[in-house]
Amino acid sequence: DVKVTQSSRYLVKRTGEKVFLECVQDMDHENMFWYRQDPGLGLRLIYFSYDVKMKEKGDIPEGYSVSREKKERFSLILESASTNQTSMYLCASSTIGTGNTEAFFGQGTRLTVV
Amino acid sequence: QKEVEQNSGPLSVPEGAIASLNCTYSDRGSQSFFWYRQYSGKSPELIMFIYSNGDKEDGRFTAQLNKASQYVSLLIRDSQPSDSATYLCAVNVDKIIFGKGTRLHILP
């Protein structure tokens, strides 16, 4: 059974703090993704990675960075948290190729920046 | 920018009727197409994927893909109150892009 685990379910941070969101998958998937989900805006891709140490910007990378030092782990970093980064953050992983390359999601991290 | 468009709804359907959800996408290079269901406060879960033109059926769900028209749809037959959720269309174009979702409400 595929499992994607995010380090925290709920997180409260102060403005200006550096925030780390961790994600681990156990299916040896090549691709990993970070999304944020806001009411009325849907799931928006922040960054994704298709291999260790490789990363690509998604649609809204500003204010975020990522790290993938090991295949199973993909970290999202908020360099200096701001209130407009209050959101639900979802990590996902998928395999590559044709056919069913579905994204498997973690349980989500609800981040509040005060 | 690659886009996936869905009607936000809410779409209200009587119990037992057919719910029809639609999605269009902008990138002709899109390879695979997915329908996810998301209950409030939960993560999305996959219902169907399709990558060939035509219909694909799985139980009460049918996904339809028309690459020429860049259109993918999901039909839910014999709708149940438990089908009330937000349905997300997703497209794989080397990265997985989601639409904003359609809220479906099944009326008892």
Side-chain angles (χ1 to χ4, degrees):
Chain A
D1 205 19
V2 176
K3 196 165 184 183
V4 180
T5 304
Q6 295 182 226
S7 53
S8 303
R9 189 77 177 90
Y10 298 95
L11 213 51
V12 180
K13 295 292 181 181
R14 295 194 179 278
T15 300
E17 275 193 79
K18 190 169 186 175
V19 181
F20 293 86
L21 302 182
E22 307 285 347
C23 176
V24 177
Q25 52 97 1
D26 65 0
M27 279 302 292
D28 201 35
H29 283 166
E30 293 83 1
N31 293 338
M32 296 190 75
F33 308 85
W34 275 107
Y35 298 89
R36 64 177 282 179
Q37 188 170 33
D38 302 286
L41 298 177
L43 272 165
R44 293 182 292 168
L45 182 64
I46 304 171
Y47 267 97
F48 70 103
S49 169
Y50 52 90
D51 201 352
V52 176
K53 298 190 187 293
M54 305 302 289
K55 61 185 179 184
E56 292 281 345
K57 292 180 180 179
D59 297 322
I60 51 164
E62 296 79 18
Y64 303 95
S65 62
V66 290
S67 173
R68 194 168 181 198
E69 296 296 320
K70 293 184 178 181
K71 191 175 184 180
E72 67 270 18
R73 186 180 297 271
F74 192 36
S75 302
L76 180 69
I77 303 155
L78 286 66
E79 297 291 343
S80 177
S82 63
T83 54
N84 63 13
Q85 292 178 309
T86 292
S87 186
M88 172 67 84
Y89 289 86
L90 287 158
C91 173
S93 72
S94 76
T95 188
I96 59 173
T98 57
N100 187 1
T101 55
E102 73 171 283
F104 292 87
F105 284 87
Q107 77 276 28
T109 297
R110 185 164 293 281
L111 172 68
T112 303
V113 182
V114 297
Chain B
Q1 182 157 339
K2 298 169 176 139
E3 292 182 348
V4 179
E5 300 284 345
Q6 295 180 254
N7 189 318
S8 63
L11 175 65
S12 295
V13 174
E15 184 175 355
I18 295 175
S20 178
L21 304 163
N22 303 314
C23 172
T24 59
Y25 59 94
S26 62
D27 191 328
R28 287 193 175 274
S30 302
Q31 300 153 1
S32 305
F33 306 85
F34 307 88
W35 282 101
Y36 285 80
R37 177 176 61 202
Q38 186 176 26
Y39 293 113
S40 180
K42 301 292 186 183
S43 297
E45 55 180 345
L46 184 75
I47 300 175
M48 297 277 292
F49 81 94
I50 186 168
Y51 58 92
S52 299
N53 273 328
D55 295 0
K56 181 180 178 183
E57 187 174 320
D58 184 1
R60 296 186 296 112
F61 300 96
T62 299
Q64 299 173 318
L65 176 62
N66 184 326
K67 290 186 177 180
S69 300
Q70 295 176 244
Y71 176 93
V72 58
S73 65
L74 179 70
L75 300 177
I76 306 174
R77 289 181 298 281
D78 188 23
S79 297
Q80 303 296 310
S82 59
D83 294 327
S84 296
T86 296
Y87 288 80
L88 302 168
C89 173
V91 172
N92 189 342
V93 284
D94 298 325
K95 56 187 177 182
I96 301 176
I97 302 296
F98 285 82
K100 293 181 181 180
T102 298
R103 284 182 295 137
L104 175 65
H105 181 51
I106 305 301
L107 303 169

